[in-house]
Amino acid sequence: MTDTPPKTPKVDSTLSKGLSILENLAHAPSGKGVTELSVELGLTKSNTFRLLQSLTTLGYVKHLESKAYAATLKTWQIGRASVDNLNLRELAAPEMSFLSKETGETIYLAVPEHLGIVYIDKIESQKPIRSWSPIGGEAPIHCVGTGKAILAANYGSMRERIKGQLTRHTEKTISSIAALDDDMNATLARGYAVDQGEFRERIWSLGAAITLPSGESIASLGISLPDVSMPENGLDRYGSLVANCAESVSAKLARR
């Protein structure tokens, strides 16, 4: 007797189309019109319009003065709540402890928030000269190690959003999209991001992305220290350490 393969659950057509519109708008910084969305998603204009009206009524989409439609922060809030429910602090605690013991420097766990990052956990350095940012502290995504790691992993969907928002904080801050393109390519190639005083003078940091099985980064691990504390060959060693630890946390997420 052969086993009957399980039936694939039916997907509600209207729900599927509505979610495809929401996902599309979530990656469109300037919003999109009905015609553009209908062409990209293969929907009729009338169907697209009706779904947009429903999403607007529910608060997930807003109608701009330009007549385009854009995703609201409600979409982001749901995504952020989902990240919080993953218990990232608990999952990453062993790796953070390992990094602290191996380097003696400040260790951070960060999550993205708009075009920045927020530190949701940390282990303090015990050294007399150290870097410092509090839990709950924020930093621009394009000029710290934890942020650049997330940005590199999600660059396909974030490039247009970050373009034109590259605020300068020190002489070393990357402030052109061409230079950022190069830096993101280098980050992906080596597996970790490097900040050599781009946000705060003489404070260096390294970060590596924590990713979902889809490849999307929802968080990152980072090591932060004053430049005078960086040992010889420290960039390569610390970079490899943080990359391996971030990969370990990502593997835990994949098993959940």
Side-chain angles (χ1 to χ4, degrees):
M1 182 176 179
T2 59
D3 294 333
T4 302
K7 293 183 178 179
T8 302
K10 291 184 178 180
V11 177
D12 183 85
S13 175
T14 301
L15 176 61
S16 176
K17 292 173 183 177
L19 289 174
S20 68
I21 289 175
L22 192 57
E23 290 174 355
N24 189 298
L25 290 178
H27 295 100
S30 301
K32 292 183 179 181
V34 175
T35 300
E36 185 177 5
L37 282 167
S38 65
V39 170
E40 290 182 1
L41 299 174
L43 305 174
T44 65
K45 289 179 65 174
S46 60
N47 198 5
T48 302
F49 180 76
R50 285 195 300 270
L51 290 167
L52 283 168
Q53 295 307 298
S54 296
L55 290 168
T56 301
T57 300
L58 293 170
Y60 291 98
V61 168
K62 58 185 175 182
H63 199 190
L64 306 176
E65 291 183 4
S66 64
K67 307 302 182 183
Y69 290 86
T72 68
L73 286 177
K74 189 172 183 179
T75 305
W76 169 81
Q77 290 165 347
I78 290 176
R80 180 64 186 274
S82 298
V83 170
D84 290 342
N85 289 337
L86 290 173
N87 294 323
L88 279 172
R89 295 179 185 86
E90 179 182 341
L91 283 178
E95 285 77 9
M96 292 182 68
S97 178
F98 173 78
L99 288 172
S100 176
K101 291 175 182 177
E102 287 293 313
T103 68
E105 302 296 348
T106 305
I107 308 302
Y108 290 107
L109 174 63
V111 295
E113 184 164 310
H114 305 303
L115 295 181
I117 53 95
V118 176
Y119 301 113
I120 63 171
D121 205 358
K122 68 179 292 191
I123 298 178
E124 293 279 9
S125 169
Q126 299 303 309
K127 296 183 178 180
I129 303 176
R130 68 187 79 170
S131 69
W132 186 85
S133 286
I135 294 177
E138 301 178 3
I141 201 168
H142 67 285
C143 55
V144 293
T146 48
K148 291 169 73 175
I150 294 171
L151 182 59
N154 300 341
Y155 203 49
S157 62
M158 293 193 69
R159 185 181 185 276
E160 288 303 310
R161 291 173 56 200
I162 197 72
K163 189 176 181 180
Q165 304 295 323
L166 302 175
T167 52
R168 182 177 289 279
H169 297 270
T170 73
E171 290 184 356
K172 296 185 177 180
T173 304
I174 295 175
S175 57
S176 78
I177 193 65
L180 186 63
D181 288 343
D182 291 340
D183 190 78
M184 294 295 96
N185 287 332
T187 296
L188 292 174
R190 64 177 168 250
Y192 59 89
V194 176
D195 146 38
Q196 294 178 287
E198 296 170 36
F199 182 48
R200 292 177 176 163
E201 297 280 359
R202 303 196 66 180
I203 298 296
W204 291 15
S205 63
L206 301 96
I210 295 171
T211 60
L212 298 174
S214 64
E216 177 189 1
S217 175
I218 58 166
S220 61
L221 287 175
I223 304 168
S224 182
L225 67 162
D227 58 0
V228 295
S229 299
M230 181 65 75
E232 186 176 355
N233 298 322
L235 281 177
D236 289 339
R237 178 171 177 267
Y238 288 0
S240 295
L241 285 172
V242 76
N244 288 335
C245 285
E247 185 177 348
S248 174
V249 179
S250 298
K252 294 180 189 178
L253 283 174
R255 294 193 293 268
R256 289 178 70 88

